[in-house]
Amino acid sequence: MSQHFLLSAKARTLSLAKVMRLSDDEAFATFRDIRWADTGGEPYCPKCGCDDLYTIATRKLWKCKGCASQFSVTSGTIFASRKLPIRDILAAIAIFVNGAKGYAALQLSRDLDVQYKTAFVLSHKIREAVAAEQDRAVIDTEAAVDGAYFGGYVKPANRKVDRIDRRLAMHRTGKRQVVIVARELNGETRTHIAKSEADGVAFVMSTVAPGVTVHADEASHWDALEARYLTKRINHSEAYSLDGACTNMAESFFSRLRRAEIGTHHHIAGKYLSAYAAEMAWREDHRRTSNGEQYLAMTAAALAHPVSRQWKGYWQRCASTI
Ligand SMILES: [Zn+2]
């Protein structure tokens, strides 16, 4: 079998400039090589896995001899029933991956010269694929856990006399959510959305392998972790790192998510917070790999991800409910 495409020299040197110069046939071949990287770019049926196929070259389709289903290079992936040329999808990923603090759909729509809604759905599809990959991360070495609040901003009134105490529960919007993170000191990151940080205990128990060392702050709900893990606790009012206890890995993740919220998206709707948190976890975990490798990893994640239930036909559904 030929070399795995993602490990080849050709793959490592892919860049946005090169993607934009690809011919239609070259873009198609690149897509095929990434999608079927495990077989050296040789297609097989997405339904039954059979590799005995008829090729319908004129329409760039295949027909499975086993189950008779027809498929294209995007069938069964998150880009199924695409409207954009393949080159534009590759370019979208190359641009999206460059945004260390995330990438705004409005900006992507200008870059690609497509409608905002096209860019919006495309970014969410990429994000969903990346989040699914992140959800498979295994936390089984020394890790830090922590929580931080996002959303539910209450704007202070103009006049001081009209201002309310925004810390009181009665004055909150009810939209505030906590992002909980479990992050290996040298490895992978998992995220979870909850109403309160205490809800994160169950998430940590179900995500972090028993017996590993877990760093947490002194909030009392984390006491429950002591039965299952070797814990190192740190009082944040004194330090972020002291006597070997340290939640800095969690803090740097929150800092990236905060910068994405404030600097790129300005507002993250509550129902999407989970997807954005996972996207930022993915970016943190890939921060030391080259840009070309990040691009390939993101493309491979997208092509390995099945059709999106949330985003397939999203705007058509919206139109029918308006
Ligand atoms: Zn088949």
Side-chain angles (χ1 to χ4, degrees), residues 291-311:
N291 199 255
E293 285 167 305
Q294 289 180 4
Y295 160 75
L296 284 164
M298 193 172 270
T299 308
L303 287 180
H305 193 71
V307 176
S308 169
R309 283 159 58 187
Q310 185 179 9
W311 297 107

Side-chain angles (χ1 to χ4, degrees), residues 45 48 64 67 69:
C45 174
C48 71
C64 173
C67 72
S69 61

